[in-house]
Amino acid sequence: MSEPRWLTDAEMQAWLRVLRLVMLLPGSLDRHLRRAAGLTHASYTILAILSDAPERSMRMAELARQSATSQSRLSHVVAALEQRGWVTRSPSPSDGRGLIAALTEEGVRVLERTAPGHVAQVRATVLDPLSPDEIAQLSTLLGKIVDSIEADDVRTTDPDAPATP
Amino acid sequence: MSEPRWLTDAEMQAWLRVLRLVMLLPGSLDRHLRRAAGLTHASYTILAILSDAPERSMRMAELARQSATSQSRLSHVVAALEQRGWVTRSPSPSDGRGLIAALTEEGVRVLERTAPGHVAQVRATVLDPLSPDEIAQLSTLLGKIVDSIEADDVRTTDPDAPATP
DNA sequence: GGCTACTTGTTGAAGCTTCAAGTATATCAG
DNA sequence: CTGATATACTTGAAGCTTCAACAAGTAGCC
């Protein structure tokens, strides 16, 4: 295995900004949502995905995929949301292993009450500083990066991972 | 306070990719570094910053700023690194409140052993999928976003925050 | 039918981060 | 020089996430 190239100045600058984004954004979202509704961003995301789904419900596994959350984490988060009465879990009729999470009426109300402030924050911190063109660029660039992270995760998480063939 | 505009399709797509990046990257970095050296990405970052500093040492507050870490978190992380003998803390001669964290010889070795694999992962997942032009674009776009997050954090964290004047 | 292998989802402990409070030192205004 | 305020750092508890192990169900295969 050969020594990898070190980063050029331009690469390092870009990487440091990626890092800074990844360090700062989650905390910022969490703080806003916690103040507004006692919600974590993780749980807000679950509510938001459910509210856009048919029947406002979805299989846990699918919910995990769409939210980019581990199943374990999802399990804990949904359990907490169920405690609060914002989500229910019921067995899937078609698959005995499956559970279907569904938004309750009260869950809908929490989301309706919280969404405007959240959207405003997303606009203020992420979207508004960019022009429409730049937003399109960002989307393209991050699409490539996200794909490669997901590919890498599959590669390095697989039980039978080839050690860099 | 008026209803904020909802997101357009293009904005939503960009936002979802930002979210996905922010959900996936930290875990991915943590997993690689933990396997390679039992390090968290948070602690790797501290070691890396220290190793580039004069005397391989830095004030805690400055370290917190550069790593975009809360002081509390930094305190915990550095305490753990000190336990392992990779960092020392000594009082600042010029400011009685200050502590100076410094990388030990062993800390240097850990970093030297870990950095190549880490750089390889950063390349593979973030930099290599992009052309040099795209890396420059990314840097520009994220620079704007990061700035606005930091501005927002100051605004909403300040004790005397004006409630949207 | 009965194996074997895979998928779905949960659980509890361990680890990390955040939050609020506390200690100590510096700075500044009068 | 004194009191008020701000900065530097730590601490412990509470909360969230990850990891590994497990229970239960499905699917393909012979």
Side-chain angles (χ1 to χ4, degrees):
Chain A
M1 160 177 164
S2 72
E3 195 78 359
R5 281 167 298 146
W6 191 243
L7 305 188
T8 66
D9 286 356
E11 287 170 337
M12 181 60 95
Q13 189 191 41
W15 170 238
L16 289 178
R17 286 179 176 168
V18 170
L19 267 189
R20 228 170 162 76
L21 174 73
V22 153
M23 292 293 282
L24 295 174
L25 189 54
S28 181
L29 296 173
D30 273 347
R31 261 190 303 283
H32 278 261
L33 283 168
R34 173 145 11 204
R35 287 180 192 175
L39 277 174
T40 294
H41 184 254
S43 44
Y44 176 90
T45 302
I46 301 309
L47 298 182
I49 292 176
L50 283 178
S51 87
D52 270 352
E55 315 275 324
R56 282 170 174 156
S57 63
M58 193 180 280
R59 278 286 291 272
M60 294 288 282
E62 179 62 13
L63 205 44
R65 269 185 287 278
Q66 290 199 23
S67 60
T69 300
S70 70
Q71 274 196 138
S72 166
R73 182 177 176 179
L74 179 64
S75 211
H76 288 294
V77 168
V78 171
L81 289 173
E82 196 175 35
Q83 283 292 321
R84 302 229 234 165
W86 297 344
V87 162
T88 59
R89 273 180 295 190
S90 48
S92 161
S94 62
D95 184 336
R97 300 163 296 182
L99 283 187
I100 296 180
L103 209 52
T104 65
E105 284 306 315
E106 201 181 342
V108 173
R109 280 195 294 279
V110 169
L111 192 57
E112 282 170 349
R113 193 163 74 232
T114 314
H118 178 64
V119 172
Q121 189 206 354
V122 170
R123 280 210 171 284
T125 59
V126 176
L127 265 15
D128 283 352
L130 306 182
S131 71
D133 267 13
E134 289 176 321
I135 290 176
Q137 281 179 25
L138 182 69
S139 193
T140 304
L141 300 175
L142 293 189
K144 296 182 186 186
I145 294 176
V146 166
D147 285 351
S148 72
I149 294 175
E150 284 170 347
D152 180 77
D153 282 355
V154 170
R155 198 179 317 131
T156 56
T157 298
D158 250 348
D160 43 70
T164 329
Chain B
M1 162 176 161
S2 73
E3 195 78 0
R5 282 166 298 147
W6 191 242
L7 305 188
T8 66
D9 286 356
E11 287 170 337
M12 183 59 95
Q13 189 190 43
W15 170 238
L16 289 178
R17 286 178 177 169
V18 170
L19 266 188
R20 230 173 160 74
L21 174 73
V22 153
M23 292 292 285
L24 296 174
L25 189 53
S28 182
L29 296 172
D30 273 347
R31 261 191 303 284
H32 277 262
L33 282 168
R34 173 146 9 203
R35 286 181 193 175
L39 277 175
T40 296
H41 184 253
S43 44
Y44 177 90
T45 303
I46 301 310
L47 298 183
I49 293 177
L50 283 179
S51 87
D52 269 352
E55 315 275 322
R56 282 170 175 157
S57 64
M58 193 180 281
R59 277 286 292 271
M60 294 288 282
E62 178 61 15
L63 205 43
R65 269 186 287 278
Q66 290 199 22
S67 60
T69 301
S70 70
Q71 273 198 136
S72 166
R73 182 177 175 180
L74 179 64
S75 212
H76 287 296
V77 169
V78 170
L81 289 173
E82 196 175 33
Q83 283 292 319
R84 302 229 234 166
W86 296 344
V87 162
T88 59
R89 272 180 296 192
S90 48
S92 161
S94 62
D95 184 336
R97 301 163 296 180
L99 283 186
I100 296 179
L103 208 53
T104 64
E105 283 307 314
E106 201 180 343
V108 172
R109 280 196 293 277
V110 169
L111 192 58
E112 281 171 349
R113 191 163 74 231
T114 314
H118 178 64
V119 172
Q121 188 206 355
V122 170
R123 282 211 169 283
T125 58
V126 176
L127 265 14
D128 283 352
L130 306 181
S131 71
D133 266 13
E134 289 177 321
I135 289 176
Q137 279 178 27
L138 182 69
S139 192
T140 303
L141 300 175
L142 293 189
K144 295 183 186 185
I145 295 176
V146 166
D147 285 352
S148 72
I149 294 175
E150 284 171 347
D152 179 77
D153 282 354
V154 170
R155 198 179 315 130
T156 57
T157 297
D158 250 348
D160 44 67
T164 329

